[in-house]
Amino acid sequence: MAVRISATRTFSSTCRAEVALSRAKAEEAKPRPQQPYLSIRNLTKRFEKFAALDNVDLDIAEGEFVSILGPSGCGKTTLLRAVAGLDVQTSGTVHQAGRDISNLPVSGRDFGIVFQSYALFPNLTIAANVGYGLTSAGYKRQEIEKRVTELLNLVGLADQAKKYPAQLSGGQQQRVALARALALSPGLLLLDEPLSALDARVRARLRGEIRDLQRRLGITTIMVTHDQEEALTMSDRVVVMSKGRIEQIGTPDEIYGRPASAFVADFVGRMNFIPGNLLSDSMVEVKGAKLDFAEPVGLGRGSAVTVCIRPEDVVLHRGNGSDPNRLDAQIGVMEFVGNHFSTVLHAENTNLNISADFSMNDVREFGLASGKTVPIRLPPDRLRVFPNPPSEA
Amino acid sequence: MRRFSTSATLFGLALACAVPAAAGELTVYTALEADQLKAYKEAFEAANPGTTINWVRDSTGIVTAKLLAEKDNPQADVVLGLAATSLMLLDKEGMLMGYEPKGIQALTATYRDPANPPKWVGMDVWSSALCFNTVEGGKKGLTAPQSWADLIKPEYAGQITMPNPASSGTGYLMVSAWLQLMGEEKGWAYMDALHNNIAAYTHSGSKPCKQAAAGEYTMGLSFEYRANKSKQDGAPLDVILPSEGVGWDMEAASILATTKNVEDAKKLLDWSVSKEANELYAKSYAIVAMPGIAKPLEFVPADIEQRLIKNDFAWAAANRDRILAEWSKRYDGKSEPKS
Amino acid sequence: MTAVAPTALAPVRQKLSADEVLMRIGVVLVGCFLLLAVVLPIWALLKKAFEDKSGNFVGLANIEQFFATPSLATSAMNSVFIALVSTVLCVGLAFVYAYGLMRTCLPGRGFFRIVSQIPLLAPSLLPAISLVYLFGNQGFATWLLFGHSIYGPIGIVIGEVFWTFPHALIIVTTALAIADARHFEAAQSLKASEWRIFMTVTLPGIRYGLISATFVVFVLVITDFGVPKVIGEQYNVLATDIYKQVIGQQNFQMGAVVGLVLLTPAVIAFFIDRIAQRRQTALLSARAVPLIPKPNKTVDWAFFAICSVIAAMIIIVLAVAFIASIAKFWPYDLTPSLKNYNFDMMDGGGWESYRNSLTMSALTAVIGTAVIFTGAYLLEKTTRFSAPRSIVRFLTLLPLAVPGLVLGLGFIFFFNDKDNPLNFIYGTMAILVLCTIGHFYSVAHLTATTALKQIDPEFETVSSSLKVPIYKTFLFVTLPVCLPAVLEIAMYLFVNAMTTVSAVVFLYSPKTTLASIAVLNMDDAGDVAPAAAMAIMIFMTSAVVRILYTIATGSFLRRAQAWRRR
Ligand SMILES: Nc1ncnc2c1ncn2[C@@H]1O[C@H](COP(=O)(O)OP(=O)(O)O)[C@@H](O)[C@H]1O
Ligand SMILES: [Mg+2]
C-alpha cells in the first residue's frame, strides 16, 4: 500500500502541494506502470436469471478518471456497487492496487463514495459530516478539525462548517459529500450519478470543479452517468455499456469520433443511420447511392449493414472535382438551433435522406436555403459501417 | 451492543422478578372479600414479624378450580377462607396436610375437620341472605319476599340476580341448601321456576347485593356479610333471611401438602384459630368458630345461627361436580337476558 | 489474466465484516424474541387443543366436543352476530366521520380528530361500564331503549362500536387521504352528479380501506373480552367463554379449542387485510395530486352536525364514567366524593395494581421500543442473509393475526409448563411485559419500518466506506433522525400496555395485578363505581402520556427544524 497516501499524513492546504503530492504518487507507482490500479475481470452479476453484468473486463490506471456511460438499466450502478462490495458480483474478480478485493466486505475495501442523493447525515453539521470517518478512526480532535477545515477549503465551503445539510444548496451538499468521501484519503473515488440531481447550470460548473479536484489529488475515480456530455467532458476514458456488457472503452475523442458499434454511435451524439449493402471492402450501397468508406469491416459482399455519419460531418463540396461520395442534395426545412442550422438533405436520384448541420458561415457563404440544391460530400473516413445485428436484419 | 444490552435487560428483569418466594413469604389462596384481606394480613404480620402474606383472591369456584388444576404444580402454601366443601374436595385429592393448630381446642368442635390431625379448620360461617332495595321496590310496587317460596312469584320476574354456583361459593351453598331442603326433584323444579325470575347470574357472590344496593336490580341473593356492609354504606336495603332456613358454608383454612414453607404455614394456621383472628372474623360474620366471640351484625337478624339449615357438608362436597354440571346444563348459556 | 480466469468464474462469496456478523446475530436474536413471545406460545395453544387433560394426543376430539356443547355453539353464533352488527355500524360511522374530516371543510376538524382518539386511551371495559350508568336499570337515559335491556347484545354492540371506532377511523382516513384530485376533476368536467362521483370515484378509491377496516373491526370485536364481560350478562360470546373455561373451570383444553376457533377469523382477516393494503397502496400513483376539499356550506354543516353527534357520544360515555366515579353512592347520593378511588378496599389489587400498570407500561415502552426499533433496523439494513430475514420479517407481522386473548392463553400453556426452562418468569412482571410487547409488536414494527424506509438508504454504505462501525451510525444518525417514530412507538406501547386486558388477564399474579384487570375484577364483584374510577385513572394516565408525546415531538421538531427541512 505504498501507493496510497497514508491517512496519517497531513493534508496540504495549497493547490501546489496537492499537485506535488499527486505527482509524487504517480512516481511511486512508476516501477510497475504496466499494472493497472483497478483491474476487473470476467465480472458477472445475476439477479435470478437476469444478468445485470455480463462478463465485464475493465482496467483502470492509477489517477485516471473513468466514466461509465450507458442508458438507464444497463448495469452501471451494478458495476460500481460490485467494485464497492455493496452488491458483490456473482462471479469474477476485482483487484485494486494489486490486492484481490473480490470478496472483501465494504469496510475492508479502500474507496470513498458519493451517491446521487449525497446521503449526508441530516442531523449532523457539515463539519461533523466531513469528519465522520475521522472521528471514528481515532484521530485527536485538533487533527480532525484541521483536516475538516482543509477538506472544506478544498471544496470551497469553509464558511459553511456549522450549518446543517438542509441549509445548503444542492451543489453545496454535493461538495460536502465529496469532501466526506475524500476525508480518509481513499485510493479510489466512486461517484454514482453525482450531478444528476442538480439543475443544468450548477451541473456544468460542478463538472469542472470535480474534474479539477480529481486532477489535483490524482485520485483514481470512477463515475457512473447516463449523461454523455458529462462523461465526455470530465473523463480520461469513457466506458460505454449496454445491457450489462461493455460496448466500448476509449477516450472521449475515440468514443465520439470512432464509435465501435451502432449502439455507441447512437447513444453518443447525433447520428444518421442508413441501411445498406456491402458492395466491396470499401464501398457500400445505400438507398441507391454508392459510397466509399475508409475502414474495412471484414464482412462478405452483399452483407446487410448500417452506415452511419454524424450530421456535422456532412460537408458542402467545394470545387468541382469528382471526389468520392459527392452528391447533389436538395435542402429540406432549415431549423436554426442556436449556433448552427440543422436540416435534412435529400440526395438527388436516390432515396437517401440525411440529417446535416451547417455552420452560420456555411449558410451565409453558400446562401443555403430551403429547396435549394447543393453539392455535398460524405467524407469516407467519417463514414462508419456496422454489421446489422442478426435480430434486426 | 444495543441488542445485547436490551435482551440482557430483559433477562435480568425476568430473573429479578422471578426469585422464588423468599422464606417468610406465604402464597395464600383465598375467597375472602377484598375489604377483609387487608385487616387479616396486617394482624397476622404484626403477630408474626418476618412472615408476609401474598393473597391470590378470586371467587370460591375459581379458587377451587385453580387449586385442582394446579394439583401437579401447586403454587399455594396455604388456603385461608375457602368454603369447607371445596377444601373437602381437595382433601379427597390428597392435596391437604393434616395439622393441629395450637389452640384448636378453643373452637366449637363441629367447626373443624373431624379427622385427626384435622385437614382443615373452620374460621367462620357465612350464610345466604337476600338484599331487597326498598326504594326500587317501592317504585315498582313490590313487597319484599319473606321466603324462598315467595321468590318464584311472577311479579318478581326480571328483578332478581343471584350468583352463578359454578364460580361462586355463595351461589353453591344456596343451590345445595335448596336441594337439601326440598329434595332433588323439587329442588330442581324450584330452580326452574326461579330461573324465570332471574335477570342475571353473576360471577361473584357479592355482586347481587351490590347491584341491589345500587338499585340496578330490585333484589339480589347474596350473603349476610355483604348485605350488612352494603346497608352500612347507606344503601336502602332490607336484609332478609328467608323463612325456610338459609344455606351456609364454613370458611376454613388448610395447609397444602406440597408447601415448601411448612413453618410459616403453621404459623398462619395457628393465627387463624386464635382469639384475635376470631375477633376479626366477628367484625364480618355473625357466627365464628370460637364460641363467645361473635357479636350480632347491625343489620342481620340476631338469631341467624338458629335459622341455618342442617347442612350435610359431606353430601355437598361429594355431589358438587354433579350438581354444578346439572345446573350449567339447565341454566347456563341458554338463557337470554330477562327484563 | 489467464491465471485468473479459472477462479474468476467461480461464484464469489463475500467475506463478512464485523458489522455484518453483529447484525446477523441481531436478526437471529430478534427472531428468538418473537419465537418466545409469539410463536411458541401459539404452538403450545395449538398443541393443547388436540390433547386430553393428561397430555395425550386425541386428534379432533376436543373440537368435536366443542361443537357438541350447545352452549359453546350458541356462543359462537352470538359472537359472529355481535361482530357482524358492530362491524357494520362501526365502519359506517367511521366512514361518515372520516369523510367529514377528509373531504369537507367542516369547522373544528382538529377538535373532532382529538375526540375520535379518546377510546384508544381507555380499556374496552370503560364504555361498557358507562353504558351501565347510561342505560342500565338505573341509567338516566334508559328510556331511550324503549324497554329493551342494555345487558346483552345491545350493550355489547354499542360498547364495541365505541372502542373500535378509532381503529376503523384511522384506516378509513388513511384511505381517503390518498385520493387523487385529478379523478374528481375529470369526473366533474364530465358533469357527473355528486352522487355519481361518490359511487364511481370516492367509494372505489377507498374500497380496500373499507375492506381492511371491516376485517380489523370484525376481529377486534369477536375477540374482545372486556365489553361482553361487563355488559353481556347471560348473553355468552366466545371471548367470555374462553375466560370461563380457563379461569372458571380451569378447563385448558376447551379453552385452547375456543382460542383456536377465535384464531381462525383473525388469521383470515390478517391475510385479507394484507392483500387489501397492498392494493390500496398500489392505487396511489406517484403523481397523484392531493385532493383539497372545497367549502360547500350545506355539506360542511351537515357533516359538522353528524360528526358533532358522534363526538358528543364519545364525550358523554367518558363523562358518565367520570361522574359515576366521583358520585358518593350512585344513584341515591350524588354528592362528589373520592370514595370510589379508595381502591385498596376493593377487589383487584388496589392502588398497587395501578402502580404495577405504570411499571409494566413503562417497561413495555422502553424495552419494547428498543427491541422493536432495533429489530426493524436490523431487518431493513442487514445485507444478504435473506432467508432468515424474511422469516423474521414474517414473524414480526404474525402478532397481527393473533388476538390478545389467544396469545395470553398460549403464554399460560407455554410458560406454565414445568419442563420449560423459562417457567420461572411465570407470574412475574417479565411475562406481562413479554406478552404485551409480543401482542403489540406488529404495529410498532411497521411504524419503525416506515420511518426507516424514509431515510436515505445509503447511510450505512457511507459509514462502512468511512470505516465507521454500523452501531455508531445507528446511534448517532438513524436513531436521532427517527426520534419522532421512536417516541410514537414508545407512546403506542405505553398506552396499549395501560389499557390492555385480553392478553394479560390470564397472566397476572397477586404481585402483579394490573389496573385494567382491577377494573374487571371490581366490576365482577359488583363495585362498578370503583371500576369506573380505575378506568378513568387509566384514561387519564394514557391521556397524559399522549400529551407528553405531543409536546416532546413538537419540541423535537422545533429543535430539529434546522436539519429536518426536506
Ligand atoms: N436488486 C436487484 N434485483 C433485481 N434486479 C436488479 C437489482 N438491482 C438492479 N437490477 C437490475 O439490473 C439492471 C441494472 O441495474 P443498474 O445497475 O441499477 O442500472 P443503471 O445502469 O441504471 O445504474 C436493471 O435492469 C435493474 O432492473
Ligand atoms: Mg444507476
Side-chain angles (χ1 to χ4, degrees):
Chain A
M1 293 305 302
V3 173
R4 199 178 127 207
I5 302 167
S6 98
T8 49
R9 80 185 171 110
T10 51
F11 226 76
S12 160
S13 55
T14 70
C15 295
R16 203 164 345 129
E18 293 294 338
V19 176
L21 269 168
S22 69
R23 207 176 287 147
K25 205 171 159 186
E27 259 149 43
E28 272 183 276
K30 242 177 196 159
R32 19 171 202 175
Q34 73 279 21
Q35 185 164 19
Y37 180 70
L38 192 78
S39 172
I40 296 168
R41 287 288 171 275
N42 300 94
L43 208 67
T44 296
K45 172 74 184 179
R46 286 181 204 286
F47 295 109
E48 312 285 324
K49 280 269 147 55
F50 170 75
L53 290 179
D54 187 2
N55 231 356
V56 169
D57 288 335
L58 179 63
D59 285 333
I60 297 177
E62 171 127 42
E64 210 179 5
F65 190 121
V66 170
S67 290
I68 317 278
L69 175 67
S72 178
C74 71
K76 309 179 294 286
T77 298
T78 307
L79 176 60
L80 196 78
R81 292 179 75 86
V83 171
L86 294 169
D87 279 320
V88 84
Q89 67 276 16
T90 313
S91 62
T93 59
V94 183
H95 285 72
Q96 182 178 0
R99 187 168 68 122
D100 185 353
I101 60 166
S102 309
N103 62 357
L104 293 186
V106 178
S107 52
R109 303 188 184 201
D110 175 30
F111 67 90
I113 190 164
V114 174
F115 291 100
Q116 184 178 350
S117 66
Y118 319 138
L120 295 178
F121 304 129
N123 60 325
L124 304 181
T125 60
I126 302 308
N129 263 284
V130 173
Y132 195 73
L134 301 166
T135 315
S136 205
Y139 287 90
K140 296 211 188 73
R141 250 200 40 211
Q142 285 158 339
E143 280 179 310
I144 294 173
E145 268 168 33
K146 189 155 168 264
R147 175 91 171 110
V148 167
T149 314
E150 282 169 5
L151 286 161
L152 285 177
N153 274 327
L154 202 60
V155 295
L157 288 174
D159 50 340
Q160 312 285 334
K162 294 270 171 318
K163 290 191 177 170
Y164 288 97
Q167 294 168 310
L168 302 190
S169 71
Q172 289 173 319
Q173 292 184 30
Q174 159 60 249
R175 284 183 287 173
V176 175
L178 200 58
R180 184 178 63 182
L182 294 170
L184 291 177
S185 314
L188 181 64
L189 180 61
L190 303 177
L191 310 169
D192 189 1
E193 309 254 7
L195 302 176
S196 64
L198 300 170
D199 60 51
R201 274 186 44 214
V202 183
R203 195 153 54 196
R205 203 184 64 226
L206 266 176
R207 259 185 224 158
E209 286 185 18
I210 293 178
R211 178 58 170 146
D212 229 40
L213 191 64
Q214 187 268 339
R215 290 243 164 86
R216 271 191 288 153
L217 300 177
I219 183 170
T220 314
T221 302
I222 305 179
M223 178 178 79
V224 156
T225 180
H226 64 269
D227 179 338
Q228 44 163 312
E229 216 176 309
E230 216 164 276
L232 297 177
T233 53
M234 293 172 76
S235 324
D236 295 321
R237 280 194 302 153
V238 177
V239 177
V240 184
M241 285 185 67
S242 163
K243 297 180 183 156
R245 291 170 163 276
I246 290 182
E247 290 280 336
Q248 185 173 5
I249 304 175
T251 62
D253 236 24
E254 289 166 346
I255 299 288
Y256 191 85
R258 297 168 46 78
S261 67
F263 172 83
V264 177
D266 187 22
F267 188 72
V268 180
R270 291 188 308 129
M271 187 65 90
N272 285 294
F273 285 88
I274 314 153
N277 291 299
L278 277 189
L279 296 177
S280 76
D281 240 9
S282 61
M283 185 173 283
V284 64
E285 184 270 325
V286 284
K287 307 235 173 164
K290 290 182 180 155
L291 299 175
D292 284 359
F293 61 96
E295 205 163 315
V297 278
L299 290 172
R301 292 181 60 166
S303 300
V305 292
T306 300
V307 178
C308 297
I309 183 164
R310 295 204 184 275
E312 69 265 29
D313 288 337
V314 178
V315 293
L316 291 163
H317 186 62
R318 297 157 203 262
N320 44 17
S322 58
D323 287 322
N325 296 1
R326 180 189 177 284
L327 299 167
D328 286 321
Q330 192 181 26
I331 301 176
V333 177
M334 304 225 337
E335 214 179 331
F336 180 57
V337 244
N339 51 6
H340 67 270
F341 278 90
S342 191
T343 186
V344 177
L345 303 173
H346 176 72
E348 290 191 339
N349 308 321
T350 68
N351 290 324
L352 187 61
N353 288 321
I354 304 175
S355 295
D357 291 348
F358 296 115
S359 70
M360 302 293 287
N361 285 338
D362 285 346
V363 172
R364 260 183 248 120
E365 190 181 334
F366 290 86
L368 301 184
S370 189
K372 209 170 161 183
T373 303
V374 288
I376 59 161
R377 202 165 74 88
L378 309 178
D381 62 333
R382 296 304 166 104
L383 282 183
R384 314 268 327 152
V385 178
F386 298 113
N388 276 356
S391 56
E392 284 167 37
Chain B
M1 327 284 57
R2 189 170 187 76
R3 295 166 288 279
F4 296 141
S5 67
T6 301
S7 38
T9 321
L10 191 71
F11 279 100
L13 172 85
L15 280 171
C17 298
V19 199
E25 277 193 43
L26 284 173
T27 300
V28 182
Y29 280 25
T30 180
L32 290 169
E33 293 292 287
D35 38 13
Q36 300 164 345
L37 294 178
K38 207 175 163 194
Y40 291 12
K41 178 176 160 82
E42 276 170 9
F44 169 74
E45 287 172 2
N48 297 276
T51 311
T52 52
I53 292 178
N54 291 317
W55 298 115
V56 177
R57 199 211 94 81
D58 219 315
S59 298
T60 308
I62 290 176
V63 176
T64 311
K66 205 172 165 74
L67 283 162
L68 285 171
E70 288 172 356
K71 206 174 95 178
D72 296 332
N73 188 18
Q75 307 286 315
D77 299 303
V78 174
V79 182
L80 186 91
L82 186 66
T85 42
S86 290
L87 286 177
M88 289 159 85
L89 278 179
L90 302 184
D91 189 22
K92 218 168 67 188
E93 302 286 334
M95 294 170 66
L96 303 183
M97 184 174 102
Y99 172 61
E100 187 167 292
K102 294 189 191 80
I104 194 173
Q105 301 75 14
L107 299 192
T108 310
T110 47
Y111 291 162
R112 53 163 282 188
D113 182 21
N116 227 335
K119 295 287 180 54
W120 51 267
V121 294
M123 297 159 58
D124 50 63
V125 163
W126 97 101
S127 61
S128 46
L130 194 151
C131 299
F132 183 86
N133 186 313
T134 49
V135 174
E136 300 306 314
K139 275 192 221 159
K140 291 173 187 140
L142 296 173
T143 50
Q146 294 306 322
S147 62
W148 296 123
D150 284 351
L151 280 180
I152 59 175
K153 284 185 191 163
E155 65 253 39
Y156 296 139
Q159 306 294 336
I160 309 172
T161 55
M162 77 166 274
N164 183 329
S167 61
S168 157
T170 307
Y172 182 64
L173 68 82
M174 280 179 228
V175 171
S176 141
W178 292 327
L179 292 174
Q180 291 185 53
L181 277 172
M182 307 178 199
E184 290 258 344
E185 201 176 315
K186 280 197 188 145
W188 287 114
Y190 172 78
M191 283 184 266
D192 287 345
L194 181 63
H195 181 65
N196 292 326
N197 284 355
I198 297 280
Y201 296 103
T202 66
H203 175 83
S204 93
S206 331
K207 192 170 185 178
C209 192
K210 285 181 184 165
Q211 282 184 318
E216 192 60 23
Y217 295 101
T218 314
M219 66 199 95
L221 304 186
S222 190
F223 60 102
E224 84 291 12
Y225 163 73
R226 181 48 58 200
N228 189 54
K229 188 95 189 346
S230 291
K231 185 149 175 141
Q232 277 175 345
D233 288 346
L237 287 181
D238 271 355
V239 180
I240 296 160
L241 302 178
S243 56
E244 294 96 330
V246 292
W248 59 284
D249 202 336
M250 206 174 335
E251 278 180 333
S254 180
I255 301 176
L256 273 285
T258 42
T259 179
K260 293 191 182 71
N261 197 353
V262 180
E263 284 318 302
D264 288 319
K266 286 181 175 172
K267 283 186 202 161
L268 183 54
L269 268 265
D270 293 345
W271 178 83
S272 82
V273 301
S274 69
K275 179 150 179 275
E276 188 199 0
N278 275 269
E279 278 165 351
L280 278 176
Y281 307 156
K283 287 197 177 144
S284 311
Y285 297 98
I287 307 162
V288 300
M290 189 177 281
I293 303 283
K295 295 184 279 295
L297 294 177
E298 190 179 357
F299 297 110
V300 175
D303 60 343
I304 184 165
E305 197 156 5
Q306 281 76 58
R307 304 228 205 163
L308 302 182
I309 65 160
K310 196 173 150 303
N311 197 355
D312 183 346
F313 278 122
W315 180 87
N319 290 287
R320 189 172 181 275
D321 273 355
R322 179 180 63 82
I323 292 169
L324 290 182
E326 177 68 20
W327 190 92
S328 295
K329 208 175 92 199
R330 284 175 185 248
Y331 313 121
D332 199 13
K334 285 188 223 164
S335 49
E336 297 292 298
K338 310 274 185 303
S339 58
Chain C
M1 193 201 138
T2 36
V4 191
T7 54
L9 294 174
V12 175
R13 290 198 65 87
Q14 195 170 19
K15 283 183 191 152
L16 290 178
S17 65
D19 279 346
E20 284 169 305
V21 172
L22 205 63
M23 290 173 86
R24 286 175 185 207
I25 293 173
V27 169
V28 171
L29 284 180
V30 170
C32 291
F33 180 88
L34 285 160
L35 213 59
L36 218 57
V38 185
V39 180
L40 293 174
I42 295 303
W43 172 246
L45 174 115
L46 294 180
K47 229 173 68 186
K48 195 67 124 198
F50 298 97
E51 282 176 357
D52 65 10
K53 277 203 160 69
S54 29
N56 303 313
F57 182 79
V58 292
L60 296 177
N62 293 331
I63 291 164
E64 279 163 20
Q65 198 194 334
F66 172 87
F67 286 106
T69 313
S71 60
L72 288 176
T74 312
S75 299
M77 304 267 292
N78 288 349
S79 276
V80 171
F81 173 73
I82 290 287
L84 283 177
V85 176
S86 308
T87 303
V88 169
L89 284 175
C90 177
V91 174
L93 288 175
F95 172 72
V96 174
Y97 202 91
Y99 193 90
L101 287 181
M102 303 301 294
R103 295 284 168 86
T104 73
C105 296
L106 86 174
R109 185 187 311 237
F111 170 77
F112 285 123
R113 253 182 209 288
I114 293 173
V115 171
S116 71
Q117 299 303 300
I118 285 178
L120 291 178
L121 303 178
S124 65
L125 304 151
L126 182 135
I129 291 172
S130 281
L131 288 175
V132 170
Y133 283 109
L134 271 170
F135 301 113
N137 299 333
Q138 288 295 335
F140 40 72
T142 308
W143 52 273
L144 277 174
L145 294 181
F146 302 107
H148 296 281
S149 172
I150 193 69
Y151 295 109
I154 297 178
I156 303 180
V157 167
I158 301 177
E160 297 292 7
V161 170
F162 177 90
W163 90 272
T164 52
F165 179 74
H167 295 270
L169 187 71
I170 291 166
I171 299 171
V172 179
T173 309
T174 314
L176 280 168
I178 64 171
D180 190 341
R182 291 172 305 176
H183 296 155
F184 289 85
E185 280 154 13
Q188 272 156 0
S189 69
L190 293 171
K191 306 247 178 321
S193 68
E194 288 293 322
W195 176 247
R196 186 106 194 279
I197 294 178
F198 180 80
M199 294 304 287
T200 55
V201 182
T202 309
L203 271 189
I206 61 161
R207 62 182 182 278
Y208 297 116
L210 288 178
I211 291 172
S212 201
T214 301
F215 279 93
V216 166
V217 171
F218 185 89
V219 170
L220 281 175
V221 173
I222 206 167
T223 62
D224 176 54
F225 158 78
V227 175
K229 180 83 180 90
V230 170
I231 208 161
E233 291 210 334
Q234 304 322 111
Y235 192 82
N236 290 336
V237 294
L238 288 178
T240 48
D241 275 354
I242 200 173
Y243 179 75
K244 277 192 206 156
Q245 292 290 338
V246 171
I247 300 291
Q249 302 176 15
Q250 309 276 316
N251 184 345
F252 295 123
Q253 285 68 31
M254 200 44 72
V257 172
V258 183
L260 193 63
V261 171
L262 284 179
L263 195 57
T264 317
V267 169
I268 294 170
F270 169 76
F271 284 108
I272 292 176
D273 183 49
R274 290 274 93 193
I275 295 166
Q277 278 191 7
R278 207 165 300 146
R279 301 252 167 97
Q280 178 83 57
T281 3
L283 281 182
L284 176 69
S285 70
R287 293 172 37 216
V289 178
L291 180 70
I292 296 160
K294 295 187 190 69
N296 175 334
K297 265 219 158 76
T298 332
V299 174
D300 294 346
W301 285 103
F303 274 95
F304 178 76
I306 299 171
C307 291
S308 295
V309 171
I310 297 175
M313 291 204 279
I314 295 175
I315 292 171
I316 287 172
V317 165
L318 182 69
V320 164
F322 179 68
I323 293 167
S325 78
I326 57 164
K328 197 161 178 195
F329 197 104
W330 184 280
Y332 301 110
D333 183 355
L334 298 183
T335 45
S337 138
L338 288 178
K339 163 183 142 278
N340 292 321
Y341 287 80
N342 190 5
F343 299 127
D344 287 345
M345 294 311 288
M346 323 278 175
D347 264 338
W351 279 102
E352 182 65 28
S353 55
Y354 177 72
R355 284 189 292 272
N356 283 339
S357 263
L358 288 184
T359 313
M360 199 275 267
S361 305
L363 285 172
T364 302
V366 172
I367 298 173
T369 307
V371 171
I372 295 170
F373 190 83
T374 314
Y377 179 81
L378 292 170
L379 287 180
E380 275 301 299
K381 305 294 181 187
T382 304
T383 45
R384 296 174 285 155
F385 206 46
S386 48
R389 263 162 68 217
S390 34
I391 294 172
V392 177
R393 196 171 289 134
F394 173 76
L395 296 187
T396 62
L397 293 180
L398 198 58
L400 280 181
V402 181
L405 213 54
V406 178
L407 187 64
L409 204 53
F411 261 65
I412 311 190
F413 299 151
F414 181 65
F415 287 102
N416 196 22
D417 183 344
K418 262 183 307 188
D419 301 331
N420 186 333
L422 288 172
N423 178 255
F424 66 87
I425 77 165
Y426 193 69
T428 65
M429 191 60 97
I431 198 170
L432 295 175
V433 172
L434 186 66
C435 180
T436 309
I437 296 175
H439 186 182
F440 297 107
Y441 198 102
S442 304
V443 173
H445 174 80
L446 292 174
T447 307
T449 305
T450 309
L452 288 167
K453 277 196 196 301
Q454 280 167 357
I455 62 177
D456 197 300
E458 310 292 5
F459 284 167
E460 287 68 31
T461 315
V462 168
S463 72
S464 37
S465 78
L466 294 172
K467 317 271 188 282
V468 179
I470 207 106
Y471 67 88
K472 284 200 181 168
T473 305
F474 176 72
L475 285 179
F476 298 133
V477 178
T478 312
L479 208 55
V481 171
C482 293
L483 199 61
V486 171
L487 290 175
E488 187 181 340
I489 293 169
M491 187 272 297
Y492 169 85
L493 289 175
F494 187 95
V495 168
N496 277 296
M498 263 329 266
T499 57
T500 188
V501 179
S502 56
V504 291
V505 73
F506 295 113
L507 300 175
Y508 72 95
S509 75
K511 281 194 205 163
T512 57
T513 52
L514 298 174
S516 53
I517 308 290
V519 176
L520 182 75
N521 285 336
M522 289 192 279
D523 176 78
D524 239 356
D527 295 319
V528 186
M534 187 63 99
I536 289 291
M537 286 306 301
I538 296 174
F539 167 77
M540 291 204 294
T541 310
S542 309
V544 165
V545 167
R546 216 184 150 124
I547 290 168
L548 286 178
Y549 158 74
T550 312
I551 294 172
T553 319
S555 80
F556 168 81
L557 291 179
R558 225 168 305 119
R559 195 165 49 75
Q561 204 111 51
W563 53 268
R564 278 188 62 87
R565 196 159 52 83
R566 280 174 197 278

